[in-house]
Amino acid sequence: MAKPLNIGMIGYGFMGRAHSNAYVQVPHFFDTKHTPVLKAICARDEAKAKAFAAQWGYESIETDWRKLVARKDIDAIDICVPNNLHAEIAIEAAKNGKMILCEKPLAMNAAEGRKMVDAVEKAKVANTVWYNYRRIPAVSLAKRLVDEGRLGKIFHYRAKFLQDWTIKADLPQGGQGLWRLDIAAAGAGVSGDLLAHCIDTAIWLNGRMDTVCCMTETFVKERMHNLTGKVEKVGIDDACIFFGKFANGSLANFESTRYARGHKALYTFEINGENMSLAWDLHDLHRLQVFDYRDEGKIRGWKSVHVTDNSPDHPYMDKWWVPGLAIGYDASFTHQVADFLTGLDTGKPASPTFRDALETQLILDAILDSAKSKKWVEVPKA
Ligand SMILES: NC(=O)c1ccc[n+]([C@@H]2O[C@H](COP(=O)([O-])OP(=O)(O)OC[C@H]3O[C@@H](n4cnc5c(N)ncnc54)[C@H](O)[C@@H]3O)[C@@H](O)[C@H]2O)c1
C-alpha cells in the first residue's frame, strides 16, 4: 500500500501548475512507496483558489498560508510564490514539522538562505529546492558522463540564459505576472531568476566555484509600479555577465539577459574537457551534443544524442515511452517529485536540498557584490 504524502501548495501561477501536474503524473509513471495527495491549495483570492482546486483536484483551499502550514493533515508544503515569501513560509513550515519543497532561488540572499537551512535542519524535515533542469534526461546524462570521468580534466564551463520579454520601456514592474521586475519581490533580476538555474547545474556538474567577477546592467532605469501606481526606480539587473574559477581549476563564463531580441528561453551550457566536450540547449532539450576526441579520427565529430532510449542508459526514460519519443519540460518536475519521494522511501535525501541550494545563493551574492565593487570576489564556503 502506498503511503499518502499530503501536499499543501502555496501559489497557483506558472509553478503551481507545473508542480500540480508533476504530483498527478508521478504515481502513474514511477514506483514509489509514497504517493502525493493534492490536499490543499492556498491563494489569497478565494474564488481563484476554488477554481484551481476544481481544475487540478485539490481537496480543499486556504486563503492564508499561515493556516495551511499549521494544518495537521498536511505533510509537505510546496512554495510556489514570489521569492520574497520563500524564507518566511519555509521557516514557519519547518517549525510546524512540515517537509518543504521550495521554488528557486532558495531565498532573496544568502543570509536569508542560511536561516532557512538552519530551520529545516533543526526541525529535521525533508527539503528540496526546485532546480528542475538537473532532471531533464539529457542534462542528467551529462552528469553521468562527467561523473564517469570521461571528459578528463575540465577546462571550461560556459552557460547562457537569454530572453527578450522586458525590452519595452513602458512595461510596468510589480504585481501579478510582473513581480520579477520588482526588486522587493524578486530580490534580484536575471541573476537570481535565470542564472540561478545555470549556476545550480554548473556546480552540480563541475563542482564548487571559488571566485567570480561580474558586470550587470539595468537598461530601463524607471518603470511604473503596478502596486503603487507611481513611476519608480528599477532595482533589478536586466543583464548579468560574469566570469569565475571553479575549484577544479576550470574557467566559468556565464551570461543572462532579458534583452536578447529573438530569444525566448535560450538556456545553453557547454563543458570542455581534455577528452570530451558536452553541450545542451533548452530549446532542443532531449538532445545532448557530445564530442569525443578519442573517436577514430576519420569519423570524429560532434554527435547529437537523442536521449530517449527507454533503457537504463538514458536517465528516467525507461519510465516513459518507446525509443525516439521525446518528453518535455514538464517531466523535469515529475522527475524531481519522484526523486524526492524515493528520498523519503530510502532515507537518502534527493538533491538539491536547502543546504545544496545555499551554495548557489552564495555565488549569486558574490556576483552582485562583484558587480557593485567592480572587483573579483571570493565565494564564501556554505
Ligand atoms: N523552477 C523553475 O524553472 C521556475 C520557473 C518559474 C518560476 N520559478 C519560481 O517559482 C516561484 C513562483 O514563480 P511563478 O512563475 O509561478 O510566479 P507566478 O506569478 O506565476 O505565480 C505566483 C503565485 O503566487 C501567488 N501569491 C503571491 N503572494 C501570495 C501570498 N501572500 N499568499 C499566497 N499566494 C501568493 C500569486 O497569486 C500567484 O498565484 C518563484 O520563486 C520563481 O522564481 C521557478
Side-chain angles (χ1 to χ4, degrees):
M1 269 289 279
K3 266 177 101 175
L5 183 81
N6 291 343
I7 307 287
M9 179 179 291
I10 310 173
Y12 59 88
F14 175 18
M15 283 303 107
R17 291 165 63 231
H19 297 189
S20 299
N21 178 55
Y23 293 127
V24 171
Q25 280 199 334
V26 157
H28 300 294
F29 292 93
F30 288 82
D31 298 319
T32 53
K33 293 195 185 104
H34 287 81
T35 293
V37 175
L38 300 182
K39 205 69 184 171
I41 176 75
C42 171
R44 291 159 301 173
D45 182 319
E46 190 178 338
K48 285 186 182 162
K50 278 188 176 154
F52 189 88
Q55 185 170 16
W56 286 97
Y58 282 86
E59 290 175 19
S60 62
I61 67 144
E62 291 291 347
T63 53
D64 177 353
W65 65 261
R66 288 180 187 278
K67 282 202 182 138
L68 181 76
V69 301
R71 264 172 63 164
K72 295 271 180 296
D73 62 345
I74 298 292
D75 300 316
I77 292 292
D78 190 349
I79 303 176
C80 302
V81 289
N83 309 343
N84 60 329
L85 292 167
H86 292 188
E88 199 184 359
I89 297 175
I91 291 167
E92 200 56 31
K95 277 190 197 149
N96 280 273
K98 307 301 182 202
M99 302 176 202
I100 308 169
L101 302 99
C102 182
E103 255 309 338
K104 54 54 60 180
L106 174 64
M108 299 282 273
N109 51 52
E112 237 189 43
R114 274 191 205 284
K115 287 186 195 153
M116 296 166 79
V117 172
D118 288 348
V120 291
E121 291 186 351
K122 188 170 166 216
K124 296 190 171 52
V125 290
N127 57 89
T128 192
V129 179
W130 293 90
Y131 280 116
N132 53 300
Y133 289 105
R134 291 183 179 205
R135 290 177 164 87
I136 287 176
V139 179
S140 307
L141 180 61
K143 168 75 172 161
R144 243 184 229 177
L145 298 177
V146 172
D147 286 355
E148 286 168 5
R150 289 173 188 247
L151 278 71
K153 184 170 170 47
I154 291 170
F155 300 115
H156 293 284
Y157 190 105
R158 64 185 70 79
K160 287 187 178 136
F161 207 138
L162 311 179
Q163 299 184 334
D164 70 353
W165 63 278
T166 64
I167 293 177
K168 273 176 74 148
D170 61 354
L171 187 73
Q173 59 171 317
Q176 196 76 31
L178 291 168
W179 62 264
R180 281 179 175 77
L181 279 72
D182 177 5
I183 189 76
V190 293
S191 51
D193 194 35
L194 305 177
L195 281 178
H197 279 300
C198 304
I199 293 168
D200 174 74
T201 315
I203 58 179
W204 185 55
L205 291 175
N206 197 34
R208 203 191 125 69
M209 209 182 287
D210 282 338
T211 52
V212 292
C213 180
C214 176
M215 175 169 70
T216 59
E217 184 55 66
T218 304
F219 294 116
V220 176
K221 311 283 185 209
E222 290 185 326
R223 293 182 186 274
M224 208 274 290
H225 201 296
N226 275 327
L227 301 181
T228 63
K230 292 191 188 127
V231 173
E232 289 184 17
K233 184 171 175 252
V234 174
I236 61 158
D237 45 300
D238 284 337
C240 179
I241 296 175
F242 81 91
F243 301 117
K245 194 156 183 187
F246 289 91
N248 66 6
S250 59
L251 304 187
N253 174 350
F254 285 65
E255 179 185 5
S256 187
T257 179
R258 296 190 185 120
Y259 288 70
R261 183 58 88 204
H263 293 302
K264 296 175 191 172
L266 189 73
Y267 174 15
T268 54
F269 70 73
E270 181 167 327
I271 177 166
N272 308 125
E274 62 180 322
N275 304 319
M276 192 182 262
S277 287
L278 304 173
W280 178 80
D281 173 349
L282 174 58
H283 285 190
D284 206 6
L285 58 80
H286 49 284
R287 289 187 179 275
L288 183 66
Q289 310 295 331
V290 179
F291 180 94
D292 193 342
Y293 183 67
R294 291 160 303 187
D295 282 348
E296 194 189 344
K298 60 185 173 232
I299 54 158
R300 189 188 293 139
W302 281 91
K303 281 181 271 211
S304 175
V305 181
H306 199 247
V307 188
T308 56
D309 275 356
N310 64 351
S311 73
D313 281 346
H314 285 171
Y316 302 107
M317 290 310 297
D318 57 330
K319 302 289 186 279
W320 297 95
W321 318 116
V322 298
L325 300 190
I327 55 169
Y329 169 75
D330 55 323
S332 62
F333 297 95
T334 308
H335 299 161
Q336 180 143 2
V337 174
D339 288 348
F340 181 78
L341 298 178
T342 303
L344 299 182
D345 296 347
T346 60
K348 284 190 203 138
S351 72
T353 59
F354 279 24
R355 183 163 281 285
D356 300 327
L358 178 59
E359 214 176 315
T360 295
Q361 209 70 53
L362 287 162
I363 296 170
L364 288 169
D365 274 16
I367 62 176
L368 294 179
D369 282 356
S370 163
K372 216 185 233 174
S373 66
K374 298 190 166 70
K375 291 200 167 85
W376 282 86
V377 170
E378 287 199 15
V379 180
K381 297 245 155 59

